Amino acid sequence: MSLRLRFWGTRGSVPTPGPHTVRYGGNTPCIEVRTSTDALVILDAGTGIRELGRSLVARAGGRPVSGEIFLTHTHWDHIQGLPFFAPIFQSGNHFTIWGSPSPGLEVEQVVRDQMARVVFPVTFDELRAKVEFCHLAPTSRSDAGYEMTAFAVRHPGGAVGYRVADSGENGGSVVYISDNELGDGGHYDMHADWREQLVAFVRGARILVHDATYTRDEYARHGGWGHSTYDDAVRLALDAGVDELVLFHHKPERSDADVDRYLAECRQMVAAHGRTLSVVAAAEGMPLTA
């Protein structure tokens, strides 16, 4: 197993600090991935990236820090941590931000706008690190000992999921799909066989991190909002034959006790199918290997 993951932000939509979200965390999406060559891959830049940045600076001990940040999309909860990411304020550091252009708007412009003087005291041009922006290729890119592949998912305004595969001898793979509507709500411009393509994209990965925002009852009121149910995530993981499913993008109102309850229901669902899929809930600080 050669990919090492650590979760720094697991919550969806808005940060939710407080006594009821201590165990699973209240920061918005951010995952640190390390390859077998110790290359740094950051998945999304929600408020969790703030603590990741502090950790990177401490671990570097004054040495330069470099890495690649892959954004699934540019909704606030996936970019709002960037202005508080300590390494981008230090000269000598280098980061590349990857993403798909939003309709009519470039990723770079969205990131710059959230640091405009009218809404933030430090502008993007005042950052001391070298920060570059790149568009995702339609299929995949390979660099620094890993391959990254993107797949368009169902979310208002557009979003992608990522598959990270390590190029090492024991190369593992992880699929990260933070915001995705597997149910039949909403109107998305997707091919009729989109779900079959999604299953093929996920198939064979050791770990699937997937949006599990809603219960079935909640989804009945929020169809078209771009998120999935716990049941949906389990079914996708079973269909794709992954080893481990990580429930992600916890609903802001979801307490630790709530997550415990729905996690238990997911495990019961897997047992009812007679399968051996491992199911866990994403928690801040949680390490995994693939």
Side-chain angles (χ1 to χ4, degrees), residues 26-126:
N27 281 299
T28 56
C30 182
I31 300 177
E32 175 186 6
V33 181
R34 292 285 182 169
T35 70
S36 57
T37 61
D38 207 37
L40 171 63
V41 176
I42 300 173
L43 301 174
D44 276 327
T47 57
I49 203 172
R50 175 180 175 273
E51 281 301 314
L52 168 58
R54 288 162 53 86
S55 175
L56 291 174
V57 169
R59 282 181 268 167
R63 297 183 300 276
V65 179
S66 63
E68 310 213 36
I69 302 171
F70 290 86
L71 302 177
T72 57
H73 60 308
T74 54
H75 284 173
W76 285 348
D77 53 331
H78 294 257
I79 65 170
Q80 62 194 159
L82 275 172
F84 304 93
F85 183 49
I88 63 173
F89 289 88
Q90 298 179 344
S91 60
N93 295 340
H94 182 198
F95 293 92
T96 303
I97 298 177
W98 293 83
S100 298
S102 301
L105 200 61
E106 297 288 330
V107 171
E108 179 175 357
Q109 191 60 53
V110 176
V111 172
R112 284 178 171 274
D113 285 350
Q114 77 164 344
M115 296 184 70
R117 190 73 75 188
V118 69
V119 293
F120 198 75
V122 181
T123 67
F124 184 86
D125 288 330
E126 293 176 85

Side-chain angles (χ1 to χ4, degrees), residues 106-215:
E106 297 288 330
V107 171
E108 179 175 357
Q109 191 60 53
V110 176
V111 172
R112 284 178 171 274
D113 285 350
Q114 77 164 344
M115 296 184 70
R117 190 73 75 188
V118 69
V119 293
F120 198 75
V122 181
T123 67
F124 184 86
D125 288 330
E126 293 176 85
L127 299 178
R128 300 180 65 186
K130 183 178 181 180
V131 181
E132 299 179 290
F133 292 86
C134 289
H135 289 163
L136 293 167
T139 52
S140 65
R141 60 176 298 277
S142 297
D143 198 10
Y146 67 91
E147 181 178 90
M148 179 70 75
T149 310
F151 183 88
V153 296
R154 302 173 80 234
H155 192 66
V160 297
Y162 290 111
R163 182 175 180 128
V164 191
D166 192 274
S167 302
E169 183 177 350
N170 298 314
S173 57
V174 174
V175 174
Y176 170 68
I177 304 177
S178 65
D179 295 47
N180 181 37
E181 187 159 2
L182 289 168
D184 57 7
H187 301 283
Y188 302 96
D189 185 19
M190 299 293 185
H191 293 293
D193 64 344
W194 173 82
R195 193 181 188 284
E196 288 75 15
Q197 293 179 21
L198 174 62
V199 170
F201 177 75
V202 176
R203 189 178 302 284
R206 202 194 92 65
I207 296 173
L208 169 63
V209 181
H210 197 280
D211 180 349
T213 300
Y214 296 132
T215 64

Side-chain angles (χ1 to χ4, degrees), residues 2 13 22 28 74 87 208 244 254 260:
S2 49
S13 303
V22 171
T28 56
T74 54
L208 169 63
E244 187 162 23
R254 199 79 74 216
D260 287 341

